[in-house]
Amino acid sequence: MKAKAAGNILFLVIAVLLTSNTYVMGQPEKIKVEGGWIQGSAENGLTIFRGIPFAAPPVGGLRWREPQPVEKWDSVRLTTRFAHSPIQAGNPAAGKSEDCLYLNVWTPAKSANEHLPVLVWIYGGGFSAGSTAESWYDGEQLAKKGVVFVSIAYRVGQLGFLAHPELSAENPGHVSGNYGLLDQIAGLKWIQKNIAAFGGDPDKVTIFGESAGAISVSMLCASPLAKGLFRGAISQSGASFGPTRPVTYPGENMKTLKQAEAEGEEYLRKARVSSLAELRKMDAEKLPMGWGTGSAWPIIDGYVLPEDQYKLYQEGKYNDVPVLIGYNSDEGLSFLPEKTPKEFIENVKLRYGRFAGDLLNAYPVGENTITKTARDLVRDAAFGWHNWTWARLQSETGKSKVYYYCFDQHPVYPKDSPDFGHGSPHAQDVSYVFQHIDPTNTQTTKSDLEISAAMGTYWINFTKYGNPNGKDVPAWPAFTNSKPVVMYFSQTPHTGPVPGEKSLKVLDMYFKWRITAEGERWVNSK
């Protein structure tokens, strides 16, 4: 009888191990998620799951539709390799496919009951490119700091954001576009339902992204569809507080649904088809894709984004969560199309009209070169003004704290260097946050390592507590309109004033005018 009882107990133990979400002897046990069982891999003290489907493949009749529930599978699904990246003009890591709605998880948890905070990455790429499989987005080092790290894929380019009258007509809400944002929301909903199986806490989710990923973060903070899906947000070089404009510029990228539908009709002509049905039948890789081909940016559709984000924040109609936001000191280096001061001045006049003179005084250009002071207009129009505005409006209308930063980590270049006067360009901060600064590289300085360590600590503290502060890092005061303090990552972490605030106030006059009836008439007449 004793032997039989012992055998029954052993059977029960084995049964529990085979049906529960546990990790046995350093090897990941299978985990049950929405859709079925998955199996990851044990790597460097973490359990990593790559290529978990969170929605049905958006192919065939699901092209240009909201993401649908994930399709179930029967056997244990091996999730040890990244899924294909979304269709785009270039050649992303892991290849590309229209079947692209997958996410990845790095977890340090040894059991499902650890309830760790969750940090969710949304990649950039101008909404026309991007991949979770890029090596610089590897979440290993951040996960080792005590969080469950997740990266979400979403549709980009025209497959992610095409609007068209036929698409709006077939939609119950009579809207179209913004499928890429809906993918992100679907991924966040999947996390709410499933992340506990990985040792994560669905009530402690923080979203973060860079560039288009950061713009996405700001839009998710404004979208009623994302309410309750996260408790904190980090935005690195990106936000969207500019008004709509028929001819867009960096910082004024948004269109109305009507404008985007008209652009979608032009897109069909470029694709040489006469109907949506024909366009759906086209091979995804033969579709016109990439920058400059239209319909590849989020829009104000009245559904995902109900209104101009500036107005939503003025009225307090947003997801009021703590935010950590900022940008790099010389973003203009990466987004300056002009080659000469003359060309720069002409384009400023074209974009800003009667405000051009004041802006050229506030952001002066050199006689023979486009100096950093001029590049800062590009930086602030696309990034600085939006983050500054986000910080001011949330401080005025919200309850949650704002932490504002400027990344300015770079060598001091000699006067005879072609890089003299350069600051930190777009995306330089990513490797610092992800803890990918190589200490063995001869170009790496002690200051680089200090800045990277500080940023990693601040980002993880914010994920864990909703506040970046803690031991081993300088105090980071919250930004308020009465005390507009900014954390600078420049040789050392230290606080200072808003970068170029005097010039920003001139630019702010332009943006405030743009949302007036006169400003709208002016852009629509051009």
Side-chain angles (χ1 to χ4, degrees):
M1 288 293 292
K2 289 182 178 179
K4 185 177 179 180
N8 288 338
I9 292 171
L10 179 60
F11 174 80
L12 288 173
V13 170
I14 292 172
V16 169
L17 289 175
L18 290 176
T19 57
S20 64
N21 298 327
T22 58
Y23 308 92
V24 181
M25 293 187 295
Q27 293 299 318
E29 186 53 80
K30 63 180 182 178
I31 287 183
K32 181 69 179 297
V33 296
E34 190 175 37
W37 293 90
I38 60 173
Q39 175 78 52
S41 59
E43 301 176 30
N44 301 321
L46 301 174
T47 309
I48 304 174
F49 301 82
R50 299 179 178 92
I52 307 171
F54 66 84
V59 301
L62 296 184
R63 181 185 287 179
W64 296 307
R65 293 188 191 276
E66 286 197 42
Q68 298 300 303
V70 68
E71 298 174 351
K72 295 184 178 181
W73 57 90
D74 296 324
S75 59
V76 177
R77 186 179 189 122
L78 194 62
T79 53
T80 57
R81 298 178 62 184
F82 288 110
H84 289 314
S85 304
I87 293 289
Q88 53 198 274
N91 296 304
K96 54 187 176 181
S97 170
E98 195 171 4
D99 178 6
C100 62
L101 299 185
Y102 298 82
L103 53 75
N104 317 289
V105 178
W106 287 254
T107 178
K110 302 305 179 186
S111 70
N113 61 3
E114 296 194 25
H115 309 297
L116 298 176
V118 182
L119 182 58
V120 183
W121 173 250
I122 303 172
Y123 52 70
F127 293 110
S128 286
S131 171
T132 62
E134 300 293 351
S135 60
W136 51 89
Y137 299 156
D138 185 287
E140 178 178 324
Q141 298 305 318
L142 291 175
K144 285 182 175 179
K145 293 179 179 290
V147 301
V148 177
F149 180 93
V150 184
S151 57
I152 301 176
Y154 61 95
R155 286 170 281 181
V156 299
Q158 288 71 23
L159 284 169
F161 298 96
L162 180 71
H164 189 275
E166 285 188 64
L167 286 170
S168 297
E170 71 180 24
N171 183 284
H174 304 292
V175 299
S176 56
N178 285 344
Y179 304 108
L181 294 180
L182 288 166
D183 294 340
Q184 296 168 16
I185 292 169
L188 290 171
K189 288 180 176 178
W190 187 97
I191 289 168
Q192 287 296 311
K193 295 176 183 177
N194 296 278
I195 205 64
F198 301 85
D201 188 338
D203 293 327
K204 296 179 180 178
V205 174
T206 296
I207 57 174
F208 83 129
E210 186 269 341
S211 194
I215 295 172
S216 296
V217 166
S218 95
M219 291 176 173
L220 292 172
C221 285
S223 176
L225 302 186
K227 184 176 178 61
L229 298 180
F230 53 90
R231 70 163 189 177
I234 300 173
S235 172
Q236 298 173 219
S237 299
S240 184
F241 285 80
T244 60
R245 185 166 183 155
V247 178
T248 60
Y249 291 87
E252 293 176 271
N253 307 82
M254 302 297 287
K255 292 180 182 290
T256 64
L257 175 60
K258 184 177 180 180
Q259 290 168 338
E261 286 177 337
E263 196 171 57
E265 291 180 297
E266 177 60 28
Y267 181 76
L268 260 67
R269 288 189 284 271
K270 287 182 180 179
R272 299 183 179 180
V273 297
S274 58
S275 70
L276 179 63
E278 287 183 74
L279 198 65
R280 275 204 171 110
K281 290 178 181 178
M282 283 185 66
D283 184 326
E285 295 204 40
K286 293 183 180 179
L287 291 168
M289 295 288 286
W291 289 283
T293 51
S295 299
W297 199 272
I299 61 170
I300 296 174
D301 61 352
Y303 174 51
V304 180
L305 296 172
E307 180 56 274
D308 178 302
Q309 195 164 320
Y310 188 100
K311 294 177 183 177
L312 289 174
Y313 270 69
Q314 276 186 317
E315 297 168 2
K317 298 177 180 178
Y318 57 93
N319 300 315
D320 189 355
V321 299
V323 297
L324 190 159
I325 61 178
Y327 48 95
N328 298 353
S329 63
D330 208 351
E331 303 271 7
L333 274 175
S334 307
F335 298 96
L336 188 70
E338 297 87 6
K339 304 298 182 185
T340 65
K342 180 181 178 182
E343 186 182 5
F344 181 86
I345 292 169
E346 289 174 351
N347 284 345
V348 168
K349 290 178 179 178
L350 180 66
R351 174 175 178 177
Y352 297 103
R354 65 184 180 87
F355 288 85
D358 289 340
L359 287 169
L360 288 169
N361 287 332
Y363 297 93
V365 65
E367 185 176 345
N368 300 308
T369 60
I370 303 175
T371 54
K372 185 179 182 301
T373 53
R375 292 197 303 272
D376 285 350
L377 175 57
V378 180
R379 177 198 70 188
D380 288 347
F383 304 99
W385 178 84
H386 300 264
N387 281 268
W388 183 55
T389 296
W390 187 351
R392 289 180 299 145
L393 287 176
Q394 183 157 328
S395 295
E396 180 182 337
T397 64
K399 296 179 181 178
S400 302
K401 290 184 178 181
V402 176
Y403 298 92
Y404 189 154
Y405 77 87
C406 175
F407 181 85
D408 189 32
Q409 179 68 9
H410 58 86
V412 178
Y413 301 103
K415 287 188 176 181
D416 59 352
S417 167
D419 295 324
F420 175 70
H422 286 188
S424 296
H426 190 63
Q428 186 188 349
D429 55 307
V430 174
S431 58
Y432 286 79
V433 169
F434 275 79
Q435 310 294 279
H436 291 169
I437 300 299
D438 183 3
T440 66
N441 188 318
T442 57
Q443 301 299 312
T444 298
T445 66
K446 181 180 178 182
S447 175
D448 289 327
L449 297 174
E450 181 181 350
I451 291 294
S452 180
M455 294 181 81
T457 298
Y458 284 130
W459 267 235
I460 293 299
N461 285 347
F462 185 83
T463 303
K464 291 179 177 179
Y465 315 116
N467 185 322
N469 289 291
K471 64 178 183 178
D472 301 326
V473 285
W476 186 342
F479 177 101
T480 65
N481 289 330
S482 58
K483 293 183 179 180
V485 179
V486 175
M487 175 62 71
Y488 279 78
F489 297 110
S490 179
Q491 304 306 310
T492 62
H494 59 273
T495 57
V498 173
E501 186 174 22
K502 184 177 179 180
S503 298
L504 275 169
K505 288 180 178 178
V506 179
L507 184 59
D508 189 50
M509 294 173 61
Y510 164 77
F511 275 109
K512 285 181 176 177
W513 173 76
R514 275 283 288 106
I515 61 175
T516 66
E518 180 187 359
E520 285 298 293
R521 286 195 299 271
W522 179 74
V523 296
N524 289 324
S525 68
K526 294 177 67 64

